[in-house]
Amino acid sequence: MPAGQSSTRYSALIDSMARPQDVRGLSLKGLHVTMAMRLCALFEASGRDPVPDLAQRYRSIEAACAVHGLVQTIKQVWPEPFLVNRPCCLAMTPDETTLAALARAAVSGKREAFSESIAGFVRADRHEALYNATIHAVALIP
């Protein structure tokens, strides 16, 4: 990619990240994944296991474990701490916005869009693990 196109791409990306997105614009699965990240952060801060609460929320232990697995995978592959807002907040952090884009691409089965969403941010050798965890989670969320 020529230098001019690269700087334009990243300028547009930075501008879009400066405007917080609203969780009310997400699909139901995107909202579930975003809220799961927020709940897992709260539970981790209090030293509690989030799986029982997620299982009750999704009415499925398998879905809860898949979502928790996605959270754990993100913690391993994300290049910096994943930032979330409080569960009551309507605005999304840039990390949550990226996660929503990943969930949208996974639900649609668009592997290339998934990788494009995190290209240059998450190392390419980590995309496959993140994609598999995302596909598993969104497939099991009711």
Side-chain angles (χ1 to χ4, degrees):
M1 180 179 292
Q5 285 181 333
S6 176
S7 63
T8 303
R9 174 183 174 226
Y10 291 119
S11 295
L13 179 62
I14 291 168
D15 289 343
S16 71
M17 290 169 62
R19 294 182 307 273
Q21 292 189 11
D22 193 313
V23 294
R24 293 174 291 188
L26 295 175
S27 68
L28 188 55
K29 289 199 186 229
L31 181 61
H32 276 301
V33 170
T34 302
M35 287 301 170
M37 286 298 296
R38 292 177 178 190
L39 289 173
C40 286
L42 284 176
F43 277 88
E44 183 176 309
S46 68
R48 293 180 47 205
D49 181 9
V51 174
D53 183 69
L54 293 172
Q56 184 177 22
R57 177 177 296 270
Y58 300 133
R59 293 182 173 92
S60 167
I61 293 172
E62 190 177 16
C65 290
V67 170
H68 188 251
L70 172 60
V71 171
Q72 294 304 314
T73 301
I74 288 171
K75 287 172 57 177
Q76 291 174 355
V77 305
W78 221 249
E80 57 193 30
F82 192 94
L83 298 177
V84 297
N85 279 331
R86 294 182 177 142
C88 61
C89 188
L90 296 177
M92 294 169 49
T93 67
D95 287 334
E96 291 173 330
T97 301
T98 302
L99 177 60
L102 296 178
R104 191 172 32 256
V107 167
S108 302
K110 296 180 179 174
R111 179 67 171 88
E112 297 80 24
F114 184 94
S115 288
E116 285 176 15
S117 297
I118 52 175
F121 180 64
V122 174
R123 289 183 3 207
D125 63 325
R126 297 177 172 184
H127 289 195
E128 192 66 28
L130 186 56
Y131 182 73
N132 290 336
T134 306
I135 283 286
H136 189 158
V138 298
L140 292 173
I141 292 173

